[in-house]
C-alpha cells in the first residue's frame, strides 16, 4: 500500500479486479494490435557477444515489429519517466483493512530525498548499521511478530528507510514501538567507536563489490540501471569509493535529519488493520 500512496500512477488490486467483468476474448484480441502499434524498444545484450552482433539482433527485432505489426516509435514526449510523490508533511498516515488474515501489518517509511551517490551510501550504511539491532529488539526481545524487516526502499528516483512488522498487535502500538527503537539509535551511534564503524563500512563495501555468481543477477543489475534511466553501470565501484570516505559524523547527521527529528523528517506510516475475528 505504500507503493499505492507514493507512486504517481498505480492501480489498487481492487481496481484491477473491478475491470475483469468487462474483459472478453474479443476485447483482448482488439487490444493486441493497439498495444504493438506504438512502442519503444530497449535491448540489453551481454556475455559472449560482439557489438555488431548485438546491434544485428536489435535491428532484426525492430524490423520484424515494423513489418508484421506496423509498429511506430513512441514520440520523445511520450517517454515519460515515472515519478514518486514527495512527502511534504512531517508525518502522514494511511490506514486500510484486511478481512482475510488475523495478522495486521505496519510499514513506516522515512523518505530521504532523491538518489545520488552520497545519499545512496549514507542510507545503505545506516540500514547496515541498524539491521541486526532492529530485528533483535522488535522480533527477538519484544516478540512483536514473526515478520520484522528493515531496509532501503527505492522507487522512481526517490529513496528512504522502511521498517515493516507483521503482528497480531494493533499497528498503532507497533508504530509506538518502532518509534521508540528509532529514538534509541542516537545512543547506539554515539557509543559506536571508530573501529566498529569501519567494520560496518567494510562489510557493506564487501557486499557491494561481490561479483555476481549468476548471469541472471548481473542481468538484473544492468536492467535496473536501464529502467531507472540512471545508466550508471559502474555504480558499485563509484559508490563504494564514496562509502569509504564517509565518517561517523556523516551518519549521525543523516540520522538526525532524515530519521530521528520530528521537525525535519518526512514519515509515511501505512497501517493494514485486521478486521477478522480475533484480529488486531
Amino acid at each position: 500500500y505504500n507503493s499505492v500512496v507514493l507512486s504517481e500512477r498505480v492501480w489498487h488490486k481492487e481496481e484491477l479486479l473491478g475491470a475483469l467483468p468487462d474483459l472478453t476474448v474479443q476485447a483482448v484480441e482488439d487490444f493486441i494490435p493497439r498495444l504493438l502499434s506504438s512502442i519503444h524498444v530497449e535491448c540489453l545484450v551481454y556475455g559472449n557477444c560482439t557489438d555488431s552482433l548485438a546491434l544485428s539482433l536489435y535491428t532484426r527485432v525492430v524490423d520484424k515489429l515494423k513489418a508484421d505489426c506496423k509498429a511506430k516509435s513512441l514520440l520523445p514526449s511520450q517517454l515519460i519517466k515515472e515519478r514518486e510523490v514527495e512527502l511534504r508533511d512531517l508525518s502522514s498516515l494511511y490506514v486500510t483493512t484486511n478481512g482475510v488474515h488475523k495478522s495486521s501489518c505496519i510499514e513506516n517509511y522515512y523518505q530521504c530525498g532523491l538518489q545520488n551517490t552520497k545519499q545512496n551510501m549514507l542510507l545503505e550504511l545506516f540500514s547496515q548499521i541498524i539491521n541486526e539491532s532492529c530485528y533483535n529488539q522488535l522480533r527477538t526481545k519484544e516478540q512483536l511478530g514473526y515478520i520484522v524487516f528493515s531496509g532501503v526502499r527505492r522507487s522512481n528516483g526517490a529513496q528512504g528507510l522502511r521498517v515493516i512488522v507483521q503482528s497480531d498487535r494493533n499497528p498503532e502500538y507497533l508504530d509506538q514501538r518502532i518509534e521508540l527503537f528509532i529514538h534509541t539509535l542516537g545512543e547506539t551511534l554515539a557509543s559506536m567507536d571508530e573501529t566498529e564503524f569501519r567494520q560496518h563500512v567494510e562489510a557493506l563495501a564487501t557486499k557491494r563489490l561481490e561479483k555476481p555468481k549468476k548471469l541472471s543477477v548481473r542481468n538484473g543489475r544492468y536492467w535496473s540501471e536501464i529502467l531507472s534511466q540512471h545508466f550508471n553501470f559502474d555504480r558499485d565501484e563509484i559508490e563504494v569509493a564514496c562509502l569509504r570516505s564517509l565518517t561517523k559524523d556523516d551518519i549521525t547527521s543523516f540520522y538526525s535529519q532524515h530519521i530521528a527529528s520530528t521537525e525535519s523528517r518526512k514519515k509515511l506510516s501505512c497501517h493494514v488493520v485486521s478486521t477478522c475475528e480475533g484480529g488486531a
Side-chain angles (χ1 to χ4, degrees), residues 21-37:
D22 298 326
L23 293 184
T24 63
V25 173
Q26 186 62 47
V28 174
E29 291 178 346
D30 292 342
F31 175 71
I32 293 173
R34 297 205 309 272
L35 173 67
L36 298 174
S37 63

Side-chain angles (χ1 to χ4, degrees), residues 202-268:
E202 289 307 314
L204 179 57
T206 300
K207 185 188 303 182
R208 288 292 305 270
L209 293 176
E210 182 180 5
K211 300 299 182 184
K213 295 181 174 60
K214 297 180 180 180
L215 283 177
S216 60
V217 176
R218 187 181 296 275
N219 176 78
R221 292 183 183 179
Y222 288 156
W223 265 120
S224 176
E225 294 297 332
I226 294 169
L227 292 175
S228 67
Q229 298 182 37
H230 291 160
F231 305 108
N232 187 1
F233 297 109
D234 297 319
R235 178 180 299 278
D236 290 331
E237 291 75 14
I238 293 171
E239 293 192 341
V240 166
C242 175
L243 167 67
R244 287 175 167 152
S245 71
L246 297 179
T247 66
K248 197 178 84 167
D249 286 342
D250 292 329
I251 287 293
T252 302
S253 298
F254 173 84
Y255 162 74
S256 298
Q257 178 182 356
H258 295 292
I259 310 298
S261 175
T262 56
E263 300 300 319
S264 61
R265 71 181 186 183
K266 302 296 187 293
K267 172 189 171 185
L268 169 63

